[in-house]
Each structure stands twice: as C-alpha cells, then as structure tokens.
Amino acid sequence: MSFNIFKQLNADAQEGSSAPAAETAATTNVPVQAPVAETVATAHDDFDWSVDKRNVTSYSAAEKAKYDTVYDNTFKQINDGEMIQATVESLTKTDAVVNIGFKSDGLISLNEFRDIPGGVKVGDVIEVMVVEKEDREGNLHLSRKNARTTRAWERIMEVHRTGEIVTGLVTSKTKGGLIVDVFGMETFLPGSQIDVKPVTDYDQFVNKTMEFKVVKINEAIKNAVVSHKALIESDIEAQRAEIMGKLEKGQVLEGTIKNITDFGAFLDLGGLDGLLYITDISWGRINHPSEVLKMDQKLNVVVLDFDDDKKRISLGLKQLTPHPWDTLSEGLKEGEIVKGKVVNIEDYGAFLEIMPGVEGLVHVSEITWANTPINAKEFFKLGDEYEAKVVTLDKDTRKMSLSIKQMTEDPWSNIETVFPEGSKHKGVVKNITPYGVFVELATGIGGMIHISDLSWLKRFNNPNEYTKVGETIDVVIMNIDKEGRKLQLGHKQIEEDPWNTLESTFPVGSIHEGTVVKKDDKGAVVQLPYGLEGFAPSRHLAKEDGKTVGADETAQFMVIEFDRNDKRIVLSHTRIWEQVIEEEKQAIAKEKRADAEITKKAVKNLQSKVEKSTLGDLGVLANLKAKMENDAAASEGKEEPKGE
C-alpha cells in the first residue's frame, strides 16, 4: 500500500509542475517579430494550474512513521562474501531458484546439492554465500558450495585447536595418500598417517567412513592434513601406560614377534613393544635371530629391564631355562675328550661349543706341536667340528680350555731318533720372514733356515727371492733344541762348500766375463760363471772412455780380492785397461834401455880400437854424439803425451 501512495504523490507532483514549465518554454521559444498564430482551444485550457495539491491525503506523524518502516523493510542490504539464509522457491532442470529477500532471486546449480540425500526440495531453507550482488549480466550470484566450504574450514580450524576427533569419508586415492571429505571440505590423508603399520594398498580405504584427527592446517591456502594413525597411537599410548604401570623385572609375558633385525627381535606385548636382543635369545651362539625365531610367532619372555621415561622394555628368552653350565654333567672332567663346533674365532684362538651355552677355548699354542706361529683365523673356519681334550675346567667361572694337539703324541719326545743331527730331509715351506724360512718336516716338527744358509754362492735381500710358501725344499738338521722345541736347518749344506775349489778358478789377477745384475751408489753385484757373484766398488767400474759399466751390461772384470772365509770376491773393470796402459809404458821403457845399452857397447868398442885421436876421429865422435842426443830428445818427446 505504501508503494501506491508513493506513486500517487509522484504523479501529482509531476502534474502540478508540468503546466508552468510548458508555458515558460512556449513563451521563450516564440520569435519577437513573428505574427501571432491562431490559438486552438484544448480540453485543458480551463485547468487551474495554480492548484498544486489535488487528491492528497494527509497522514499523521505516527502513520507516516509506520508506513516508512514498512517501506524500508521491503529492501535488504547485502554485501559480497556475506553468508545468508535462503529459501528454495522453485526448481528447474539444472538450477534451484532461491530467495534471499533481495530485489531479485538467485540461481544455484543443482550440482551443489548432490550431498543432500534425495536432493533439494522447494521450501528448503539453506545457507548460501553472496558471490556477487550483480554479475556482468546484472544477476545475483549465489553459491551453496562456497558457503559449505567456508563453514567447514571454520569448523576444521576449531577442531584443530581443540583436538576434537572428526568423522570423514574417504572419497578417492591420490599420489602419496587419500582424499577425505570432512564437513564437506576435501582434506589430505598421507599414506604414512593411515595406520601404525605400513600400508601399501590404498584402494581398500576408498568410500569408507573413518575417524580422524586434524594434525596440520595451512590458513593461507585453506588446506588441512588429517591423520588416522594419531588416533591409533593415542589408544596404544593409553595401553602402554597401563602395561608400564604393571611391569616388574622378572615378570613373564606373552608376546608376538612383529619384526626381526640383525641385532634382535621386536615383540608386541599387547599395545607395547619390547626388544629381545640376540644375546638373550639362546644360551648358545646364533648368527641371526631368524635361525630360531619366525615372524608372528608367539612365545613367553621374561622382563629383564624397562625404562618408564623412554618406554623401553628389554626382554629375555634364554632366561626362562637354566644355564647350561649349571646342568653340566658331572662326568665331564679334565682329560676327557669332547667334540665341539667352532662358533667364534679370535687372534688368540677359537671357541668350540660342546653343547648350547657351554664353550671352551683352543688357544693358538694348543693347536699343533709345531713351534712355528699359527694364525687362528687361517686355521679355523666357523662351523667346523673338532675333537679336543679338556685341559682345564672351572664351573664356577664357567671357563674351559681345550687342546687339539694333545689328541696326538708329542713328536718332540723322540726327536733325536726321527730327526738326528746331520740327517737330510724334505720339508714344506710354511712361512717366510726377512731373516729366514720356516719349514715343516712333519706334523708338529719344523725349523728355520737362516737366510745365510740358503746358498753358498748367492746373497739374498729376502728369502722370497729364493723360495715361496708351499714349495718343497731339501734341508739338513744342523742343531736340535729339544727344550725350546726348535730345529736349526740348512739348505746350502746339502752340497759341499764350492769355495774350497773356486780359489783355483778365480785367483787374484784372473780376468772373467761378468754381467752387472744390481747396482747402487756403493758399487755393483756382478754375476760370474758357475753361479758365483762378486762385488765391484764404484771406482772400479770406470771405463777407459770415462763412462762407467751400467746395470745389465756385460764386461770383463779382474779378480782383485778372493776371501774364502768370508765368501767374498772383489772385482774391477778399471784395473784391466789401467794394467794394459802400464804394460805399454813398461815395454817402451825397456826398449829404450836396450837401445842405450847397444850404443854404449859400440862406443866402448870404438874407443878400444883407436890408439890416438886424430882430427878425423874427433869428427866421427862428434857426429855420433849428436846422433845420440837427437835420439834421446825424440824419445822424450814421444813419452810426454803418454804421461799426460
């Protein structure tokens, strides 16, 4: 009604003001000198334009205020992004027409109502968001989806703050996890947050409704991360607290093996995990827990220790049975023969397990009667079985020493009979050191050949230049140390000392062809015939042309020293050409002395025949004297260059 009144008032106002305006316009537009046209009479000529109010109803102040209120309430002020209640007025094939009390209705796609069971109906009251009051086409743009998302985000933020548990529907699988609908908003469930156990098949959770906890939110992009694992862990934590409160050392619990590692096995004690170390599984030695345990196996274990703060529980399995040393047979005594398996090898020996949990040590000194050093890690192998004699047994300290060598007779008891001094034998090279070779003649019997006893003729820097480990070698028993269980062996003594006959073959001053096999700053080692080696000092390697004899070079050498006792020959190449030069000098000097003697005799003969000197004789003598002086001067001139 107020709208009609307002319309009537506007019409009256327009009617009252239109006549004067028209009259003024007509007067203004008439030309001054134009003839006056004939006026045509109309129906409004008799209208009194001075009357400005006709058919106007007067209202009291109260009525006017009432109608103003009714008029103002017909319009609603809304803003973009505002959340507002709306009523569904009608439905089309694709949209729902909703009324929010604005000057026009809005359209919302039916796709935004798919979550409502049975769909939306006329008359339903829903919450929508004003996206735009007027879009480009002047339509009111509303969205129920945006409203639901906004309300869902507000609730998600609230439950994240309070830690409240929410229910969500797993809608689909994505890379690394699942998509969960919570309050109508999509959230992310990482694969690691699905369960406390690793999950590989994500499809089994799609379209399932589950409980979650909001563990992380990003307000900038309005993204949330939920976790189902957190709920399980909280339940497990409660169970752990209950179990830890009842734990006592020595308590026996039943557990299920959930994981096996190299160092032990983890058992599920009903919400609480415990660790069974490999050393607490069996009294005997085991290399890996899987040798005696299996996954999902149930077994009773005893609580060895626990930590309330760290929530760690140490479990034991072998402690449920008596220690094998406590049940050891009384018949086991020192001197008894036992059989065991190698379970551990150290540098000092090996441990034999004669029964689970009972071990004995075979020290390296009890492996063989031989006095040569033995490496236990090379002699023994894990798992090998040996028979051994019990040497010592202490049940209180749970220690036992065993001997393998005492299973046989000591070969050193009759060593003088089997291996007398001076006897020749064949042995096997077992070890080589810088100072000698260790040779085994029989089981438990061996000795050493010193490096100087390997060869009469050659000198070695290391015995491995002459022989190798595993080779067979001839030896002579040179000395027996029965108490020290040592044999002094020789190899070169198999043959007679050749130095007794070499002195006649290589006398001092003799020249032989040799090859330099080794050279250093001090000199060179020269290989001579018959396998003999000599030494040439550096100053005796010089050649006549100023160079020196090099390595691997063959040249002539002179023996300048032969020492049979020290087995040493000193050689010189330089002495050979120096001696030739000296011999040439001596030959020239000898020739000069012979010429002088002949001249002297001729003069003496001449003097004896001449009784009296004459002037003619004196001339002959003068000529002879001049000839002799010239010959002497010429000979001196030839010798000076040689001297230089």
mmCIF file with all atom_site columns, all heavy atoms in Angstrom, residues 181-198:
data_model
loop_
_atom_site.group_PDB
_atom_site.id
_atom_site.type_symbol
_atom_site.label_atom_id
_atom_site.label_alt_id
_atom_site.label_comp_id
_atom_site.label_asym_id
_atom_site.label_entity_id
_atom_site.label_seq_id
_atom_site.pdbx_PDB_ins_code
_atom_site.Cartn_x
_atom_site.Cartn_y
_atom_site.Cartn_z
_atom_site.occupancy
_atom_site.B_iso_or_equiv
_atom_site.pdbx_formal_charge
_atom_site.auth_seq_id
_atom_site.auth_comp_id
_atom_site.auth_asym_id
_atom_site.auth_atom_id
_atom_site.pdbx_PDB_model_num
ATOM 1   N N   . ASP A 1 181 ? 36.718 -36.308 2.803  1.00 0.00 ? 181 ASP A N   1
ATOM 2   C CA  . ASP A 1 181 ? 35.711 -35.241 2.923  1.00 0.00 ? 181 ASP A CA  1
ATOM 3   C C   . ASP A 1 181 ? 35.379 -35.079 4.392  1.00 0.00 ? 181 ASP A C   1
ATOM 4   O O   . ASP A 1 181 ? 34.807 -35.964 5.029  1.00 0.00 ? 181 ASP A O   1
ATOM 5   C CB  . ASP A 1 181 ? 34.462 -35.621 2.135  1.00 0.00 ? 181 ASP A CB  1
ATOM 6   C CG  . ASP A 1 181 ? 33.438 -34.482 2.080  1.00 0.00 ? 181 ASP A CG  1
ATOM 7   O OD1 . ASP A 1 181 ? 33.466 -33.636 3.002  1.00 0.00 ? 181 ASP A OD1 1
ATOM 8   O OD2 . ASP A 1 181 ? 32.625 -34.448 1.151  1.00 0.00 ? 181 ASP A OD2 1
ATOM 9   N N   . VAL A 1 182 ? 35.731 -33.902 4.933  1.00 0.00 ? 182 VAL A N   1
ATOM 10  C CA  . VAL A 1 182 ? 35.454 -33.582 6.330  1.00 0.00 ? 182 VAL A CA  1
ATOM 11  C C   . VAL A 1 182 ? 34.620 -32.311 6.365  1.00 0.00 ? 182 VAL A C   1
ATOM 12  O O   . VAL A 1 182 ? 35.067 -31.261 5.892  1.00 0.00 ? 182 VAL A O   1
ATOM 13  C CB  . VAL A 1 182 ? 36.762 -33.393 7.131  1.00 0.00 ? 182 VAL A CB  1
ATOM 14  C CG1 . VAL A 1 182 ? 36.442 -33.019 8.574  1.00 0.00 ? 182 VAL A CG1 1
ATOM 15  C CG2 . VAL A 1 182 ? 37.605 -34.655 7.084  1.00 0.00 ? 182 VAL A CG2 1
ATOM 16  N N   . PHE A 1 183 ? 33.373 -32.427 6.847  1.00 0.00 ? 183 PHE A N   1
ATOM 17  C CA  . PHE A 1 183 ? 32.451 -31.281 6.931  1.00 0.00 ? 183 PHE A CA  1
ATOM 18  C C   . PHE A 1 183 ? 32.172 -30.700 5.545  1.00 0.00 ? 183 PHE A C   1
ATOM 19  O O   . PHE A 1 183 ? 31.876 -29.507 5.416  1.00 0.00 ? 183 PHE A O   1
ATOM 20  C CB  . PHE A 1 183 ? 32.993 -30.178 7.838  1.00 0.00 ? 183 PHE A CB  1
ATOM 21  C CG  . PHE A 1 183 ? 33.319 -30.632 9.225  1.00 0.00 ? 183 PHE A CG  1
ATOM 22  C CD1 . PHE A 1 183 ? 34.461 -30.176 9.871  1.00 0.00 ? 183 PHE A CD1 1
ATOM 23  C CD2 . PHE A 1 183 ? 32.482 -31.513 9.897  1.00 0.00 ? 183 PHE A CD2 1
ATOM 24  C CE1 . PHE A 1 183 ? 34.764 -30.584 11.148 1.00 0.00 ? 183 PHE A CE1 1
ATOM 25  C CE2 . PHE A 1 183 ? 32.785 -31.919 11.187 1.00 0.00 ? 183 PHE A CE2 1
ATOM 26  C CZ  . PHE A 1 183 ? 33.918 -31.468 11.820 1.00 0.00 ? 183 PHE A CZ  1
ATOM 27  N N   . GLY A 1 184 ? 32.339 -31.516 4.482  1.00 0.00 ? 184 GLY A N   1
ATOM 28  C CA  . GLY A 1 184 ? 32.100 -31.025 3.136  1.00 0.00 ? 184 GLY A CA  1
ATOM 29  C C   . GLY A 1 184 ? 33.310 -30.412 2.480  1.00 0.00 ? 184 GLY A C   1
ATOM 30  O O   . GLY A 1 184 ? 33.205 -29.881 1.376  1.00 0.00 ? 184 GLY A O   1
ATOM 31  N N   . MET A 1 185 ? 34.473 -30.500 3.128  1.00 0.00 ? 185 MET A N   1
ATOM 32  C CA  . MET A 1 185 ? 35.697 -29.938 2.559  1.00 0.00 ? 185 MET A CA  1
ATOM 33  C C   . MET A 1 185 ? 36.705 -31.057 2.365  1.00 0.00 ? 185 MET A C   1
ATOM 34  O O   . MET A 1 185 ? 36.845 -31.954 3.201  1.00 0.00 ? 185 MET A O   1
ATOM 35  C CB  . MET A 1 185 ? 36.277 -28.863 3.494  1.00 0.00 ? 185 MET A CB  1
ATOM 36  C CG  . MET A 1 185 ? 37.542 -28.225 2.968  1.00 0.00 ? 185 MET A CG  1
ATOM 37  S SD  . MET A 1 185 ? 38.132 -26.948 4.087  1.00 0.00 ? 185 MET A SD  1
ATOM 38  C CE  . MET A 1 185 ? 39.603 -26.420 3.229  1.00 0.00 ? 185 MET A CE  1
ATOM 39  N N   . GLU A 1 186 ? 37.452 -31.007 1.246  1.00 0.00 ? 186 GLU A N   1
ATOM 40  C CA  . GLU A 1 186 ? 38.443 -32.029 0.963  1.00 0.00 ? 186 GLU A CA  1
ATOM 41  C C   . GLU A 1 186 ? 39.710 -31.782 1.788  1.00 0.00 ? 186 GLU A C   1
ATOM 42  O O   . GLU A 1 186 ? 40.241 -30.672 1.809  1.00 0.00 ? 186 GLU A O   1
ATOM 43  C CB  . GLU A 1 186 ? 38.804 -32.045 -0.529 1.00 0.00 ? 186 GLU A CB  1
ATOM 44  C CG  . GLU A 1 186 ? 37.691 -32.559 -1.415 1.00 0.00 ? 186 GLU A CG  1
ATOM 45  C CD  . GLU A 1 186 ? 38.119 -32.680 -2.867 1.00 0.00 ? 186 GLU A CD  1
ATOM 46  O OE1 . GLU A 1 186 ? 39.209 -32.129 -3.197 1.00 0.00 ? 186 GLU A OE1 1
ATOM 47  O OE2 . GLU A 1 186 ? 37.405 -33.307 -3.663 1.00 0.00 ? 186 GLU A OE2 1
ATOM 48  N N   . THR A 1 187 ? 40.181 -32.830 2.454  1.00 0.00 ? 187 THR A N   1
ATOM 49  C CA  . THR A 1 187 ? 41.424 -32.785 3.222  1.00 0.00 ? 187 THR A CA  1
ATOM 50  C C   . THR A 1 187 ? 42.327 -33.916 2.745  1.00 0.00 ? 187 THR A C   1
ATOM 51  O O   . THR A 1 187 ? 41.887 -34.845 2.072  1.00 0.00 ? 187 THR A O   1
ATOM 52  C CB  . THR A 1 187 ? 41.149 -32.923 4.724  1.00 0.00 ? 187 THR A CB  1
ATOM 53  O OG1 . THR A 1 187 ? 40.492 -34.181 4.971  1.00 0.00 ? 187 THR A OG1 1
ATOM 54  C CG2 . THR A 1 187 ? 40.274 -31.782 5.226  1.00 0.00 ? 187 THR A CG2 1
ATOM 55  N N   . PHE A 1 188 ? 43.599 -33.845 3.128  1.00 0.00 ? 188 PHE A N   1
ATOM 56  C CA  . PHE A 1 188 ? 44.585 -34.830 2.671  1.00 0.00 ? 188 PHE A CA  1
ATOM 57  C C   . PHE A 1 188 ? 44.990 -35.746 3.815  1.00 0.00 ? 188 PHE A C   1
ATOM 58  O O   . PHE A 1 188 ? 45.324 -35.289 4.917  1.00 0.00 ? 188 PHE A O   1
ATOM 59  C CB  . PHE A 1 188 ? 45.818 -34.119 2.109  1.00 0.00 ? 188 PHE A CB  1
ATOM 60  C CG  . PHE A 1 188 ? 46.895 -35.053 1.631  1.00 0.00 ? 188 PHE A CG  1
ATOM 61  C CD1 . PHE A 1 188 ? 46.649 -35.970 0.618  1.00 0.00 ? 188 PHE A CD1 1
ATOM 62  C CD2 . PHE A 1 188 ? 48.167 -35.014 2.203  1.00 0.00 ? 188 PHE A CD2 1
ATOM 63  C CE1 . PHE A 1 188 ? 47.639 -36.835 0.174  1.00 0.00 ? 188 PHE A CE1 1
ATOM 64  C CE2 . PHE A 1 188 ? 49.160 -35.875 1.764  1.00 0.00 ? 188 PHE A CE2 1
ATOM 65  C CZ  . PHE A 1 188 ? 48.895 -36.785 0.749  1.00 0.00 ? 188 PHE A CZ  1
ATOM 66  N N   . LEU A 1 189 ? 44.977 -37.064 3.518  1.00 0.00 ? 189 LEU A N   1
ATOM 67  C CA  . LEU A 1 189 ? 45.425 -38.077 4.475  1.00 0.00 ? 189 LEU A CA  1
ATOM 68  C C   . LEU A 1 189 ? 46.673 -38.744 3.896  1.00 0.00 ? 189 LEU A C   1
ATOM 69  O O   . LEU A 1 189 ? 46.575 -39.574 2.992  1.00 0.00 ? 189 LEU A O   1
ATOM 70  C CB  . LEU A 1 189 ? 44.324 -39.121 4.711  1.00 0.00 ? 189 LEU A CB  1
ATOM 71  C CG  . LEU A 1 189 ? 44.708 -40.339 5.565  1.00 0.00 ? 189 LEU A CG  1
ATOM 72  C CD1 . LEU A 1 189 ? 45.100 -39.921 6.976  1.00 0.00 ? 189 LEU A CD1 1
ATOM 73  C CD2 . LEU A 1 189 ? 43.566 -41.349 5.607  1.00 0.00 ? 189 LEU A CD2 1
ATOM 74  N N   . PRO A 1 190 ? 47.877 -38.400 4.396  1.00 0.00 ? 190 PRO A N   1
ATOM 75  C CA  . PRO A 1 190 ? 49.100 -39.036 3.877  1.00 0.00 ? 190 PRO A CA  1
ATOM 76  C C   . PRO A 1 190 ? 49.097 -40.539 4.133  1.00 0.00 ? 190 PRO A C   1
ATOM 77  O O   . PRO A 1 190 ? 48.495 -41.020 5.098  1.00 0.00 ? 190 PRO A O   1
ATOM 78  C CB  . PRO A 1 190 ? 50.226 -38.337 4.655  1.00 0.00 ? 190 PRO A CB  1
ATOM 79  C CG  . PRO A 1 190 ? 49.615 -37.078 5.174  1.00 0.00 ? 190 PRO A CG  1
ATOM 80  C CD  . PRO A 1 190 ? 48.166 -37.388 5.419  1.00 0.00 ? 190 PRO A CD  1
ATOM 81  N N   . GLY A 1 191 ? 49.801 -41.281 3.267  1.00 0.00 ? 191 GLY A N   1
ATOM 82  C CA  . GLY A 1 191 ? 49.866 -42.725 3.433  1.00 0.00 ? 191 GLY A CA  1
ATOM 83  C C   . GLY A 1 191 ? 50.505 -43.138 4.741  1.00 0.00 ? 191 GLY A C   1
ATOM 84  O O   . GLY A 1 191 ? 50.140 -44.164 5.332  1.00 0.00 ? 191 GLY A O   1
ATOM 85  N N   . SER A 1 192 ? 51.446 -42.340 5.227  1.00 0.00 ? 192 SER A N   1
ATOM 86  C CA  . SER A 1 192 ? 52.114 -42.675 6.484  1.00 0.00 ? 192 SER A CA  1
ATOM 87  C C   . SER A 1 192 ? 51.239 -42.430 7.700  1.00 0.00 ? 192 SER A C   1
ATOM 88  O O   . SER A 1 192 ? 51.598 -42.844 8.811  1.00 0.00 ? 192 SER A O   1
ATOM 89  C CB  . SER A 1 192 ? 53.404 -41.851 6.613  1.00 0.00 ? 192 SER A CB  1
ATOM 90  O OG  . SER A 1 192 ? 53.109 -40.463 6.607  1.00 0.00 ? 192 SER A OG  1
ATOM 91  N N   . GLN A 1 193 ? 50.091 -41.734 7.506  1.00 0.00 ? 193 GLN A N   1
ATOM 92  C CA  . GLN A 1 193 ? 49.211 -41.418 8.617  1.00 0.00 ? 193 GLN A CA  1
ATOM 93  C C   . GLN A 1 193 ? 47.940 -42.258 8.609  1.00 0.00 ? 193 GLN A C   1
ATOM 94  O O   . GLN A 1 193 ? 47.006 -41.965 9.370  1.00 0.00 ? 193 GLN A O   1
ATOM 95  C CB  . GLN A 1 193 ? 48.833 -39.928 8.581  1.00 0.00 ? 193 GLN A CB  1
ATOM 96  C CG  . GLN A 1 193 ? 50.006 -38.985 8.768  1.00 0.00 ? 193 GLN A CG  1
ATOM 97  C CD  . GLN A 1 193 ? 50.653 -39.152 10.131 1.00 0.00 ? 193 GLN A CD  1
ATOM 98  O OE1 . GLN A 1 193 ? 49.969 -39.282 11.146 1.00 0.00 ? 193 GLN A OE1 1
ATOM 99  N NE2 . GLN A 1 193 ? 51.979 -39.149 10.158 1.00 0.00 ? 193 GLN A NE2 1
ATOM 100 N N   . ILE A 1 194 ? 47.924 -43.309 7.781  1.00 0.00 ? 194 ILE A N   1
ATOM 101 C CA  . ILE A 1 194 ? 46.735 -44.158 7.738  1.00 0.00 ? 194 ILE A CA  1
ATOM 102 C C   . ILE A 1 194 ? 46.714 -45.120 8.915  1.00 0.00 ? 194 ILE A C   1
ATOM 103 O O   . ILE A 1 194 ? 45.704 -45.293 9.596  1.00 0.00 ? 194 ILE A O   1
ATOM 104 C CB  . ILE A 1 194 ? 46.684 -44.942 6.408  1.00 0.00 ? 194 ILE A CB  1
ATOM 105 C CG1 . ILE A 1 194 ? 46.571 -43.954 5.240  1.00 0.00 ? 194 ILE A CG1 1
ATOM 106 C CG2 . ILE A 1 194 ? 45.498 -45.899 6.393  1.00 0.00 ? 194 ILE A CG2 1
ATOM 107 C CD1 . ILE A 1 194 ? 46.636 -44.626 3.877  1.00 0.00 ? 194 ILE A CD1 1
ATOM 108 N N   . ASP A 1 195 ? 47.877 -45.778 9.157  1.00 0.00 ? 195 ASP A N   1
ATOM 109 C CA  . ASP A 1 195 ? 47.944 -46.784 10.216 1.00 0.00 ? 195 ASP A CA  1
ATOM 110 C C   . ASP A 1 195 ? 49.350 -46.785 10.794 1.00 0.00 ? 195 ASP A C   1
ATOM 111 O O   . ASP A 1 195 ? 50.289 -46.229 10.195 1.00 0.00 ? 195 ASP A O   1
ATOM 112 C CB  . ASP A 1 195 ? 47.587 -48.164 9.645  1.00 0.00 ? 195 ASP A CB  1
ATOM 113 C CG  . ASP A 1 195 ? 47.124 -49.142 10.726 1.00 0.00 ? 195 ASP A CG  1
ATOM 114 O OD1 . ASP A 1 195 ? 47.370 -48.850 11.920 1.00 0.00 ? 195 ASP A OD1 1
ATOM 115 O OD2 . ASP A 1 195 ? 46.517 -50.170 10.391 1.00 0.00 ? 195 ASP A OD2 1
ATOM 116 N N   . VAL A 1 196 ? 49.491 -47.428 11.952 1.00 0.00 ? 196 VAL A N   1
ATOM 117 C CA  . VAL A 1 196 ? 50.808 -47.533 12.571 1.00 0.00 ? 196 VAL A CA  1
ATOM 118 C C   . VAL A 1 196 ? 51.685 -48.510 11.791 1.00 0.00 ? 196 VAL A C   1
ATOM 119 O O   . VAL A 1 196 ? 52.922 -48.446 11.867 1.00 0.00 ? 196 VAL A O   1
ATOM 120 C CB  . VAL A 1 196 ? 50.686 -47.979 14.042 1.00 0.00 ? 196 VAL A CB  1
ATOM 121 C CG1 . VAL A 1 196 ? 50.077 -46.885 14.877 1.00 0.00 ? 196 VAL A CG1 1
ATOM 122 C CG2 . VAL A 1 196 ? 49.875 -49.260 14.162 1.00 0.00 ? 196 VAL A CG2 1
ATOM 123 N N   . LYS A 1 197 ? 51.065 -49.409 11.048 1.00 0.00 ? 197 LYS A N   1
ATOM 124 C CA  . LYS A 1 197 ? 51.792 -50.337 10.207 1.00 0.00 ? 197 LYS A CA  1
ATOM 125 C C   . LYS A 1 197 ? 51.841 -49.785 8.785  1.00 0.00 ? 197 LYS A C   1
ATOM 126 O O   . LYS A 1 197 ? 50.926 -49.095 8.356  1.00 0.00 ? 197 LYS A O   1
ATOM 127 C CB  . LYS A 1 197 ? 51.131 -51.715 10.204 1.00 0.00 ? 197 LYS A CB  1
ATOM 128 C CG  . LYS A 1 197 ? 51.088 -52.385 11.572 1.00 0.00 ? 197 LYS A CG  1
ATOM 129 C CD  . LYS A 1 197 ? 50.395 -53.729 11.486 1.00 0.00 ? 197 LYS A CD  1
ATOM 130 C CE  . LYS A 1 197 ? 50.339 -54.401 12.861 1.00 0.00 ? 197 LYS A CE  1
ATOM 131 N NZ  . LYS A 1 197 ? 49.647 -55.724 12.786 1.00 0.00 ? 197 LYS A NZ  1
ATOM 132 N N   . PRO A 1 198 ? 52.890 -50.100 8.047  1.00 0.00 ? 198 PRO A N   1
ATOM 133 C CA  . PRO A 1 198 ? 52.964 -49.616 6.658  1.00 0.00 ? 198 PRO A CA  1
ATOM 134 C C   . PRO A 1 198 ? 51.799 -50.135 5.822  1.00 0.00 ? 198 PRO A C   1
ATOM 135 O O   . PRO A 1 198 ? 51.427 -51.302 5.901  1.00 0.00 ? 198 PRO A O   1
ATOM 136 C CB  . PRO A 1 198 ? 54.303 -50.184 6.162  1.00 0.00 ? 198 PRO A CB  1
ATOM 137 C CG  . PRO A 1 198 ? 55.102 -50.437 7.404  1.00 0.00 ? 198 PRO A CG  1
ATOM 138 C CD  . PRO A 1 198 ? 54.116 -50.818 8.465  1.00 0.00 ? 198 PRO A CD  1
#
